Amino acid sequence: MARPDGMDKWKTLEHNGPVFPPDYEPLPSNVRFYYNGKVVHLSPLAEEVAGFYGRMLDHEYTSKDVFNKNFFKDWRKTMTEDEKELITDLKLCNFKEIDIYYKEQSEKRKAMTKEEKLELKQKNEEITLKYGFCLLDGHKQKIGNFRIEPPGLFRGRGEHPKMGKLKKRVQPEDIIINIGEKAKIPSPPAGHKWKEVKHDKTVSWLASWTENIMGNVKYIMLNPSSKLKSIKDFEKYEKARKLKNEVGAIRSQYRADFKSREMVVRQRAVALYFIDKLALRAGNEKEEGETADTVGCCSLRVEHIQLHEEKDGKQYVVDFDFLGKDSIRYSNSVAVEKRVFKNLKHFIQGKSPSDDLFDRLNTSSLNKHLASLMEDLTAKVFRTYNASQTLQNQLNELTKEGMTEPELLLAYNRANRSVAVLCNHQRAVPKTFDKQMENLQVKIKEKKAQIKETKKLYKEAKGDAKDKLKKKLKTLEDGMKKLEVQRVDKEENKQIALGTSKLNYLDPRISVAWCKKWNVKIEKIYNKTQRDKFRWAIEMAGPDYQF
């Protein structure tokens, strides 16, 4: 089994295993499901899965054909033979009462009394105390995700071909426990047993299982704030900093390879150019069939690019259009070096649209070549390096003396956004976006009216009253500026996911140093969980740190 990290061997490990979601509670008898206008009493498993769909009736997913087709196919697998024979058309299904019931349950949770909330909080704290910590080599360490995800319907990102499929309930029989040889093995829920118990000291996971949608292995790991995780984080960014010192020579090498007589060397050079300049993922070979048609650099096909000798006043332009990781579309138009352009024309010559662009190359051979250039160098290290370097450069360029805190935060988000655009970290426009913008506009309008009224009073006032109004006017104008900056920031970020790069690709010391240099509270950049994860960087980085 692949190691999720490269930590050194541990000696002893004790933990209490994972926490499973509660068993399904059947719907009350007054909450009914209808098929073709008639009440149908579903078997427990079929009813549970119907509930997953019923509570999503207001969501855009249930309006998508792929989602509905996948859901109905998997739902029928949970039905009895009689139910399968009766329920053959999703359009004839009426989940409305189920939808209303779950909405009511949600409102009840929101309306809990202080006492009820406190009782629930205490129960969760007791669970965390028992299951949320482990003893690793005698030291108490926090566990990151000790709760097993409940069953539900898979959504995926982008237009994922598997959206709507059933994420099955994970059973103890699916779980592999990893624990010290002399430690007490945690007891599975009554009537169940673990799939396997291991004592693998070379990995840092405590439990693992294979999820049924993509066939990926999931892990219960140490919390990101744990010492071992912090060390791994530090090493990751140090590796990217090491690349900074080597990248000049590597770039000179792959540019020289553009002219190589060997086709495989030229293809590798152009792929590396894209990975370096565009932060493309290398891409992994994957199985045929239902898996989403997603590609990375090495698996690009001829149909994913278009070449233009000239476009929009630029020479040697390449248009990219393909589905990347998580089915997120990558659409970009880039001017490239003349030699790259000429090579691409040669690579596609005589090929059909479905043929591989880099037919002599794969991810394994590319990473093997990278490792020969620098120890442990992979395509992902380039992504981390380019993301961090972009943030550093943008912060240096955008941050100016005399900026207010809102202006500084706007500059930071703009720098972060440059990274998110580079890494193609997109998101759908939030459903609440228009309402939030409308509320902001109302606040701005009210603030303008207050400023206008205060200015009028200020002109007429004298003595102490004039001084007080001057202070009030300053406060109002500062508040106005803050709201206007918020509006710009929100508009610019509506389709960009800033969190992914901030947590996974950006050396946190850059952000910490920037905060310290410009007297911005670190809480404005990182929430509490993120501050725990990057505690090492907060302690380490001074205001003069540069990536």
Side-chain angles (χ1 to χ4, degrees):
M1 192 172 292
R3 289 169 62 171
D5 61 40
M7 64 169 282
D8 295 330
K9 289 184 179 181
W10 45 263
K11 295 179 180 65
T12 62
L13 175 62
E14 299 175 44
H15 61 88
N16 290 318
V19 173
F20 290 87
D23 292 335
Y24 174 64
E25 290 186 16
L27 295 169
S29 57
N30 63 319
V31 179
R32 293 153 299 189
F33 165 75
Y34 297 84
Y35 184 74
N36 201 14
K38 295 179 181 177
V39 175
V40 175
H41 298 287
L42 296 169
S43 56
L45 183 54
E47 183 186 88
E48 180 183 17
V49 178
F52 300 153
Y53 189 89
R55 69 185 77 187
M56 289 182 69
L57 288 189
D58 292 341
H59 203 288
E60 63 176 332
Y61 275 106
T62 51
S63 67
K64 296 183 178 183
D65 290 340
V66 173
F67 187 92
N68 289 332
K69 182 181 176 183
N70 285 336
F71 160 72
F72 195 61
K73 184 179 178 182
D74 276 7
W75 184 32
R76 281 177 54 79
K77 291 175 185 174
T78 69
M79 295 178 184
T80 63
E81 290 303 317
D82 287 344
E83 287 167 344
K84 283 182 192 174
E85 193 174 328
L86 173 66
I87 302 169
T88 57
D89 187 347
L90 184 60
K91 291 186 177 68
L92 296 178
C93 297
N94 184 334
F95 301 90
K96 195 62 188 172
E97 288 189 11
I98 296 174
D99 176 39
I100 292 168
Y101 170 74
Y102 281 114
K103 280 189 173 74
E104 288 172 351
Q105 294 301 107
S106 178
E107 290 304 314
K108 281 181 183 178
R109 284 192 294 273
K110 290 176 186 175
M112 282 195 300
T113 64
K114 283 185 179 179
E115 291 75 22
E116 288 170 330
K117 287 178 181 176
L118 181 62
E119 185 181 346
L120 184 62
K121 184 184 177 184
Q122 287 172 343
K123 282 181 181 177
N124 284 329
E125 284 174 351
E126 287 171 11
I127 291 170
T128 300
L129 208 58
K130 181 175 180 180
Y131 296 96
F133 296 89
C134 68
L135 275 178
L136 185 70
D137 293 339
H139 297 284
K140 190 176 182 181
Q141 298 278 355
K142 201 172 182 183
I143 299 172
N145 53 330
F146 57 88
R147 294 178 187 272
I148 301 290
E149 189 180 2
L153 301 183
F154 178 71
R155 302 185 185 191
R157 295 177 64 192
E159 296 300 315
H160 203 289
K162 291 195 174 186
M163 65 169 73
K165 289 185 71 64
L166 174 63
K167 290 191 294 182
K168 294 179 180 177
R169 184 177 289 273
V170 178
Q171 300 290 354
E173 285 75 10
D174 303 315
I175 304 278
I176 298 171
I177 295 290
N178 191 37
I179 198 164
E181 291 174 13
K182 295 181 180 178
K184 181 186 175 186
I185 297 168
S187 300
H192 291 276
K193 60 181 181 179
W194 303 120
K195 179 180 180 180
E196 187 182 348
V197 176
K198 299 181 75 169
H199 312 290
D200 188 347
K201 297 179 180 181
T202 66
V203 298
S204 63
W205 54 266
L206 316 182
S208 74
W209 65 97
T210 303
E211 55 85 23
N212 69 286
I213 302 291
M214 304 299 292
N216 294 329
V217 179
K218 297 278 191 176
Y219 298 96
I220 288 180
M221 307 282 289
L222 294 174
N223 187 276
S225 65
S226 69
K227 186 179 178 182
L228 285 168
K229 284 291 184 184
S230 297
I231 291 169
K232 289 299 142 191
D233 251 3
F234 170 76
E235 289 174 348
K236 176 173 79 171
Y237 295 113
E238 283 299 287
K239 197 183 296 179
R241 290 184 85 203
K242 183 183 176 186
L243 175 58
K244 182 180 179 179
N245 298 324
E246 306 284 344
V247 76
I250 291 171
R251 285 169 176 166
S252 296
Q253 180 63 59
Y254 71 60
R255 281 196 173 91
D257 287 344
F258 290 160
K259 303 174 186 177
S260 173
R261 291 185 177 183
E262 293 183 63
M263 177 65 82
V264 64
V265 175
R266 273 192 286 158
Q267 287 193 4
R268 187 179 68 201
V270 173
L272 190 48
Y273 172 85
F274 288 154
I275 285 166
D276 182 18
K277 296 299 180 185
L278 304 178
L280 296 187
R281 291 182 174 87
N284 294 306
E285 293 178 25
K286 47 187 176 46
E287 61 198 52
E288 299 291 326
E290 285 188 299
T291 305
D293 183 21
T294 60
V295 297
C297 187
C298 293
S299 47
L300 284 170
R301 298 191 295 273
V302 174
E303 64 192 325
H304 294 136
I305 67 165
Q306 283 191 330
L307 304 179
H308 307 274
E309 295 278 351
E310 190 175 332
K311 182 182 178 183
D312 300 331
K314 296 177 182 177
Q315 283 188 304
Y316 312 123
V317 174
V318 182
D319 288 344
F320 293 88
D321 195 347
F322 61 89
L323 290 183
K325 186 182 177 186
D326 296 325
S327 296
I328 298 296
R329 185 183 178 193
Y330 183 91
S331 179
N332 199 3
S333 190
V334 187
V336 300
E337 295 180 23
K338 183 178 180 180
R339 184 62 66 174
V340 171
F341 191 85
K342 287 179 72 174
N343 272 319
L344 288 170
K345 283 182 76 173
H346 189 60
F347 297 163
I348 66 175
Q349 198 171 358
K351 291 181 180 177
S352 65
S354 60
D355 288 338
D356 288 336
L357 178 63
F358 302 117
D359 55 307
R360 310 286 178 90
L361 189 67
N362 58 48
T363 307
S364 177
S365 65
L366 177 70
N367 279 330
K368 188 176 179 181
H369 171 68
L370 290 174
S372 74
L373 301 176
M374 184 187 108
E375 187 181 0
D376 294 329
L377 180 61
T378 64
K380 189 169 184 179
V381 180
F382 267 97
R383 198 167 164 85
T384 305
Y385 160 72
N386 280 310
S388 293
Q389 192 63 64
T390 299
L391 180 72
Q392 184 72 75
N393 293 342
Q394 286 290 303
L395 286 177
N396 292 347
E397 185 181 320
L398 296 173
T399 316
K400 310 290 183 189
E401 292 286 352
M403 281 183 161
T404 62
E405 188 177 79
E407 288 171 330
L408 286 166
L409 291 171
L410 178 61
Y412 180 86
N413 281 344
R414 281 177 167 165
N416 195 355
R417 184 160 53 252
S418 295
V419 178
V421 169
L422 174 73
C423 295
N424 199 39
H425 292 151
Q426 302 178 40
R427 66 170 182 174
V429 178
K431 282 186 174 181
T432 56
F433 176 77
D434 289 339
K435 184 64 179 173
Q436 288 174 351
M437 292 299 282
E438 188 183 309
N439 291 342
L440 257 180
Q441 197 56 46
V442 168
K443 288 179 182 178
I444 288 170
K445 191 176 179 181
E446 289 173 352
K447 195 71 74 177
K448 280 182 179 177
Q450 290 174 332
I451 288 171
K452 186 178 179 181
E453 179 64 24
T454 305
K455 280 183 175 178
K456 184 181 175 184
L457 293 171
Y458 175 73
K459 285 180 182 177
E460 298 168 356
K462 294 177 182 177
D464 289 346
K466 198 172 186 76
D467 288 337
K468 286 179 181 177
L469 284 167
K470 187 177 181 180
K471 288 179 183 176
K472 183 180 179 182
L473 190 58
K474 175 74 167 60
T475 302
L476 287 169
E477 286 173 340
D478 287 347
M480 178 71 175
K481 196 170 188 179
K482 186 176 181 180
L483 287 170
E484 286 177 334
V485 168
Q486 278 180 9
R487 180 176 62 183
V488 172
D489 198 26
K490 196 172 282 290
E491 177 64 41
E492 291 179 355
N493 286 333
K494 66 180 179 182
Q495 286 184 282
I496 299 292
L498 297 181
T500 307
S501 51
K502 190 163 74 171
L503 290 180
N504 299 302
Y505 292 103
L506 298 178
D507 182 343
R509 291 169 293 185
I510 302 169
S511 300
V512 170
W514 181 84
C515 286
K516 289 178 179 178
K517 181 176 180 178
W518 297 97
N519 294 314
V520 174
K521 292 178 181 176
I522 289 174
E523 299 86 73
K524 298 285 184 178
I525 303 298
Y526 294 127
N527 62 32
K528 187 180 184 307
T529 303
Q530 293 163 354
R531 293 197 300 277
D532 285 345
K533 174 180 170 67
F534 296 135
R535 190 182 302 132
W536 61 272
I538 293 169
E539 293 170 356
M540 182 181 291
D544 298 324
Y545 175 84
Q546 293 278 309
F547 178 75

mmCIF file of all heavy atoms in Angstrom, residues 1 172-178 185 193-199 205-206 208:
data_model
loop_
_atom_site.group_PDB
_atom_site.id
_atom_site.type_symbol
_atom_site.label_atom_id
_atom_site.label_comp_id
_atom_site.label_asym_id
_atom_site.label_seq_id
_atom_site.Cartn_x
_atom_site.Cartn_y
_atom_site.Cartn_z
ATOM 1 N N MET A 1 0.839 -1.201 0.000
ATOM 2 C CA MET A 1 0.000 0.000 0.000
ATOM 3 C C MET A 1 0.874 1.251 0.000
ATOM 4 O O MET A 1 1.869 1.316 0.705
ATOM 5 C CB MET A 1 -0.886 -0.002 1.246
ATOM 6 C CG MET A 1 -2.001 1.034 1.213
ATOM 7 S SD MET A 1 -3.100 0.800 2.600
ATOM 8 C CE MET A 1 -3.853 -0.748 2.162
ATOM 9 N N PRO A 172 -17.046 -1.634 9.734
ATOM 10 C CA PRO A 172 -15.781 -2.074 10.348
ATOM 11 C C PRO A 172 -15.058 -3.110 9.489
ATOM 12 O O PRO A 172 -13.826 -3.151 9.459
ATOM 13 C CB PRO A 172 -16.226 -2.663 11.691
ATOM 14 C CG PRO A 172 -17.502 -1.938 12.005
ATOM 15 C CD PRO A 172 -18.177 -1.717 10.676
ATOM 16 N N GLU A 173 -15.831 -3.939 8.787
ATOM 17 C CA GLU A 173 -15.231 -4.974 7.926
ATOM 18 C C GLU A 173 -14.442 -4.376 6.748
ATOM 19 O O GLU A 173 -13.711 -5.088 6.051
ATOM 20 C CB GLU A 173 -16.326 -5.909 7.392
ATOM 21 C CG GLU A 173 -16.868 -6.884 8.407
ATOM 22 C CD GLU A 173 -17.811 -6.267 9.434
ATOM 23 O OE1 GLU A 173 -18.212 -5.088 9.258
ATOM 24 O OE2 GLU A 173 -18.153 -6.951 10.429
ATOM 25 N N ASP A 174 -14.610 -3.060 6.508
ATOM 26 C CA ASP A 174 -13.858 -2.373 5.442
ATOM 27 C C ASP A 174 -12.565 -1.750 5.965
ATOM 28 O O ASP A 174 -11.721 -1.307 5.172
ATOM 29 C CB ASP A 174 -14.705 -1.240 4.836
ATOM 30 C CG ASP A 174 -16.028 -1.724 4.285
ATOM 31 O OD1 ASP A 174 -16.014 -2.759 3.588
ATOM 32 O OD2 ASP A 174 -17.071 -1.078 4.548
ATOM 33 N N ILE A 175 -12.420 -1.697 7.294
ATOM 34 C CA ILE A 175 -11.360 -0.895 7.927
ATOM 35 C C ILE A 175 -10.123 -1.724 8.271
ATOM 36 O O ILE A 175 -10.228 -2.795 8.864
ATOM 37 C CB ILE A 175 -11.882 -0.241 9.229
ATOM 38 C CG1 ILE A 175 -13.118 0.603 8.956
ATOM 39 C CG2 ILE A 175 -10.781 0.560 9.915
ATOM 40 C CD1 ILE A 175 -12.873 1.965 8.435
ATOM 41 N N ILE A 176 -8.964 -1.189 7.895
ATOM 42 C CA ILE A 176 -7.689 -1.747 8.351
ATOM 43 C C ILE A 176 -7.188 -0.858 9.489
ATOM 44 O O ILE A 176 -7.082 0.362 9.328
ATOM 45 C CB ILE A 176 -6.638 -1.761 7.222
ATOM 46 C CG1 ILE A 176 -7.115 -2.657 6.071
ATOM 47 C CG2 ILE A 176 -5.289 -2.253 7.744
ATOM 48 C CD1 ILE A 176 -6.239 -2.567 4.832
ATOM 49 N N ILE A 177 -6.920 -1.453 10.629
ATOM 50 C CA ILE A 177 -6.395 -0.727 11.789
ATOM 51 C C ILE A 177 -4.871 -0.861 11.805
ATOM 52 O O ILE A 177 -4.338 -1.955 11.633
ATOM 53 C CB ILE A 177 -6.975 -1.305 13.106
ATOM 54 C CG1 ILE A 177 -8.499 -1.078 13.181
ATOM 55 C CG2 ILE A 177 -6.276 -0.694 14.321
ATOM 56 C CD1 ILE A 177 -8.923 0.355 13.373
ATOM 57 N N ASN A 178 -4.191 0.247 12.009
ATOM 58 C CA ASN A 178 -2.729 0.223 12.156
ATOM 59 C C ASN A 178 -2.392 0.697 13.570
ATOM 60 O O ASN A 178 -2.806 1.799 13.973
ATOM 61 C CB ASN A 178 -2.075 1.140 11.119
ATOM 62 C CG ASN A 178 -0.570 0.930 11.054
ATOM 63 O OD1 ASN A 178 -0.100 -0.195 11.191
ATOM 64 N ND2 ASN A 178 0.178 1.988 10.849
ATOM 65 N N ILE A 185 -5.799 -3.523 20.997
ATOM 66 C CA ILE A 185 -6.503 -3.309 19.736
ATOM 67 C C ILE A 185 -7.902 -2.776 20.033
ATOM 68 O O ILE A 185 -8.634 -3.347 20.834
ATOM 69 C CB ILE A 185 -6.596 -4.617 18.923
ATOM 70 C CG1 ILE A 185 -5.189 -5.093 18.560
ATOM 71 C CG2 ILE A 185 -7.434 -4.424 17.660
ATOM 72 C CD1 ILE A 185 -5.142 -6.501 18.012
ATOM 73 N N LYS A 193 -16.322 -6.986 12.954
ATOM 74 C CA LYS A 193 -14.884 -7.198 13.145
ATOM 75 C C LYS A 193 -14.122 -6.357 12.122
ATOM 76 O O LYS A 193 -14.673 -5.974 11.079
ATOM 77 C CB LYS A 193 -14.530 -8.679 12.995
ATOM 78 C CG LYS A 193 -14.861 -9.279 11.643
ATOM 79 C CD LYS A 193 -14.495 -10.767 11.617
ATOM 80 C CE LYS A 193 -14.799 -11.362 10.236
ATOM 81 N NZ LYS A 193 -14.441 -12.790 10.164
ATOM 82 N N TRP A 194 -12.857 -6.058 12.436
ATOM 83 C CA TRP A 194 -12.028 -5.274 11.517
ATOM 84 C C TRP A 194 -11.627 -6.116 10.312
ATOM 85 O O TRP A 194 -11.503 -7.340 10.418
ATOM 86 C CB TRP A 194 -10.760 -4.767 12.208
ATOM 87 C CG TRP A 194 -10.988 -3.939 13.432
ATOM 88 C CD1 TRP A 194 -10.555 -4.207 14.689
ATOM 89 C CD2 TRP A 194 -11.695 -2.691 13.522
ATOM 90 N NE1 TRP A 194 -10.940 -3.224 15.563
ATOM 91 C CE2 TRP A 194 -11.640 -2.277 14.873
ATOM 92 C CE3 TRP A 194 -12.357 -1.890 12.592
ATOM 93 C CZ2 TRP A 194 -12.232 -1.091 15.316
ATOM 94 C CZ3 TRP A 194 -12.955 -0.703 13.026
ATOM 95 C CH2 TRP A 194 -12.892 -0.322 14.371
ATOM 96 N N LYS A 195 -11.414 -5.480 9.197
ATOM 97 C CA LYS A 195 -10.925 -6.182 8.010
ATOM 98 C C LYS A 195 -9.551 -6.776 8.278
ATOM 99 O O LYS A 195 -9.267 -7.919 7.907
ATOM 100 C CB LYS A 195 -10.849 -5.202 6.821
ATOM 101 C CG LYS A 195 -10.330 -5.843 5.539
ATOM 102 C CD LYS A 195 -10.281 -4.825 4.404
ATOM 103 C CE LYS A 195 -9.764 -5.469 3.124
ATOM 104 N NZ LYS A 195 -9.715 -4.487 2.001
ATOM 105 N N GLU A 196 -8.703 -5.973 8.958
ATOM 106 C CA GLU A 196 -7.331 -6.407 9.219
ATOM 107 C C GLU A 196 -6.738 -5.516 10.312
ATOM 108 O O GLU A 196 -7.141 -4.356 10.460
ATOM 109 C CB GLU A 196 -6.491 -6.283 7.940
ATOM 110 C CG GLU A 196 -5.090 -6.853 8.025
ATOM 111 C CD GLU A 196 -4.299 -6.644 6.737
ATOM 112 O OE1 GLU A 196 -4.900 -6.254 5.703
ATOM 113 O OE2 GLU A 196 -3.071 -6.855 6.778
ATOM 114 N N VAL A 197 -5.799 -6.036 11.059
ATOM 115 C CA VAL A 197 -5.028 -5.246 12.032
ATOM 116 C C VAL A 197 -3.562 -5.345 11.643
ATOM 117 O O VAL A 197 -3.027 -6.445 11.487
ATOM 118 C CB VAL A 197 -5.236 -5.744 13.479
ATOM 119 C CG1 VAL A 197 -4.343 -4.961 14.441
ATOM 120 C CG2 VAL A 197 -6.698 -5.605 13.889
ATOM 121 N N LYS A 198 -2.920 -4.181 11.445
ATOM 122 C CA LYS A 198 -1.517 -4.154 11.012
ATOM 123 C C LYS A 198 -0.668 -3.448 12.065
ATOM 124 O O LYS A 198 -1.189 -2.712 12.910
ATOM 125 C CB LYS A 198 -1.376 -3.408 9.674
ATOM 126 C CG LYS A 198 -2.147 -4.048 8.538
ATOM 127 C CD LYS A 198 -1.951 -3.277 7.239
ATOM 128 C CE LYS A 198 -0.575 -3.540 6.655
ATOM 129 N NZ LYS A 198 -0.448 -3.023 5.268
ATOM 130 N N HIS A 199 0.627 -3.654 11.964
ATOM 131 C CA HIS A 199 1.586 -2.974 12.846
ATOM 132 C C HIS A 199 2.707 -2.411 11.968
ATOM 133 O O HIS A 199 3.867 -2.769 12.107
ATOM 134 C CB HIS A 199 2.158 -3.945 13.883
ATOM 135 C CG HIS A 199 1.119 -4.780 14.580
ATOM 136 N ND1 HIS A 199 0.234 -4.252 15.479
ATOM 137 C CD2 HIS A 199 0.813 -6.106 14.479
ATOM 138 C CE1 HIS A 199 -0.577 -5.213 15.924
ATOM 139 N NE2 HIS A 199 -0.243 -6.346 15.323
ATOM 140 N N TRP A 205 -0.529 6.578 9.193
ATOM 141 C CA TRP A 205 -1.986 6.476 9.309
ATOM 142 C C TRP A 205 -2.382 5.477 10.396
ATOM 143 O O TRP A 205 -1.677 4.515 10.668
ATOM 144 C CB TRP A 205 -2.626 6.136 7.966
ATOM 145 C CG TRP A 205 -2.131 4.926 7.243
ATOM 146 C CD1 TRP A 205 -1.164 4.882 6.288
ATOM 147 C CD2 TRP A 205 -2.595 3.567 7.392
ATOM 148 N NE1 TRP A 205 -0.986 3.589 5.844
ATOM 149 C CE2 TRP A 205 -1.859 2.770 6.492
ATOM 150 C CE3 TRP A 205 -3.564 2.961 8.192
ATOM 151 C CZ2 TRP A 205 -2.053 1.401 6.368
ATOM 152 C CZ3 TRP A 205 -3.759 1.590 8.083
ATOM 153 C CH2 TRP A 205 -3.016 0.829 7.176
ATOM 154 N N LEU A 206 -3.548 5.721 10.991
ATOM 155 C CA LEU A 206 -4.039 4.887 12.097
ATOM 156 C C LEU A 206 -5.113 3.898 11.631
ATOM 157 O O LEU A 206 -5.321 2.864 12.266
ATOM 158 C CB LEU A 206 -4.629 5.757 13.210
ATOM 159 C CG LEU A 206 -3.817 7.009 13.608
ATOM 160 C CD1 LEU A 206 -4.504 7.730 14.750
ATOM 161 C CD2 LEU A 206 -2.403 6.637 13.991
ATOM 162 N N SER A 208 -7.361 2.762 7.702
ATOM 163 C CA SER A 208 -7.560 3.030 6.275
ATOM 164 C C SER A 208 -8.671 2.144 5.732
ATOM 165 O O SER A 208 -9.000 1.104 6.300
ATOM 166 C CB SER A 208 -6.257 2.792 5.495
ATOM 167 O OG SER A 208 -5.999 1.409 5.361
#
